[in-house]
């Protein structure tokens, strides 16, 4: 059974940093496409970053490019989202998602992912 558990969210001041973790079980992270998404109150879920299942290429939404970094630790079967220079508009619930058929992340689309974690709250506020 594919399971994903996010952690690492919290309250941080603008300009600060956080690293989110997504621990996977039931599958091997380097064989699956994995995405990070976020949802702010009253807004639609937004794709933030993604790594493809076939070649491990990473993609980022324009709003986070240069500030967020997606990484993967195959030994721990865990992926990470390192977030720097956080802004109030980065506030939301962050989710990781997985699917073995994700071979293209040029559009980070939630409909492409079948397994989801429960989410972790990130609040950027002074």
């Amino acid at each position: 059974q594919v399971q994903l558990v996010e952690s690492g969210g919290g309250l941080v001041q603008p300009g600060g940093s956080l690293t989110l973790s997504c621990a996977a079980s039931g599958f091997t992270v380097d064989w699956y496409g994995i995405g990070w998404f976020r949802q702010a109150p009253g807004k639609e879920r937004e794709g933030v970053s993604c790594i493809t299942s076939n070649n491990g290429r990473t993609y980022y939404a324009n709003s986070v490019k240069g500030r967020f970094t997606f990484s993967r630790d195959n030994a721990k079967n865990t992926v990470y989202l390192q977030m720097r220079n956080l802004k109030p508009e980065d506030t939301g619930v962050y989710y990781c998602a997985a699917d073995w058929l994700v071979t293209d992340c040029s559009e980070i689309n939630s409909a492409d992912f079948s397994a989801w974690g429960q989410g972790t709250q990130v609040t950027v506020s002074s």
Side-chain angles (χ1 to χ4, degrees):
Q1 183 180 0
V2 172
Q3 289 190 325
L4 299 160
V5 178
E6 303 96 334
S7 61
L11 173 64
V12 63
Q13 292 187 341
S17 300
L18 277 177
T19 297
L20 306 182
S21 301
C22 174
S25 59
F27 71 101
T28 304
V29 294
D30 61 343
W31 288 11
Y32 271 56
I34 299 178
W36 283 99
F37 294 82
R38 66 187 180 190
Q39 188 164 19
K43 294 189 176 181
E44 292 188 358
R45 190 168 295 185
E46 172 191 18
V48 174
S49 184
C50 176
I51 189 167
T52 56
S53 58
N54 53 335
N55 58 16
R57 184 175 176 181
T58 53
Y59 294 78
Y60 299 92
N62 288 333
S63 58
V64 307
K65 203 170 291 184
R67 301 188 297 122
F68 288 15
T69 302
F70 191 129
S71 63
R72 187 170 63 185
D73 186 333
N74 295 336
K76 294 184 178 180
N77 213 36
T78 299
V79 299
Y80 304 93
L81 186 68
Q82 183 180 8
M83 307 184 294
R84 299 180 297 273
N85 190 21
L86 284 161
K87 305 175 182 181
E89 52 264 41
D90 293 319
T91 294
V93 179
Y94 282 69
Y95 301 89
C96 63
D99 196 286
W100 70 282
L101 286 175
V102 177
T103 58
D104 179 13
C105 290
S106 54
E107 291 187 6
I108 308 172
N109 188 346
S110 61
D112 293 336
F113 294 85
S114 57
W116 291 79
Q118 83 290 348
T120 185
Q121 176 71 45
V122 172
T123 303
V124 184
S125 174
S126 55

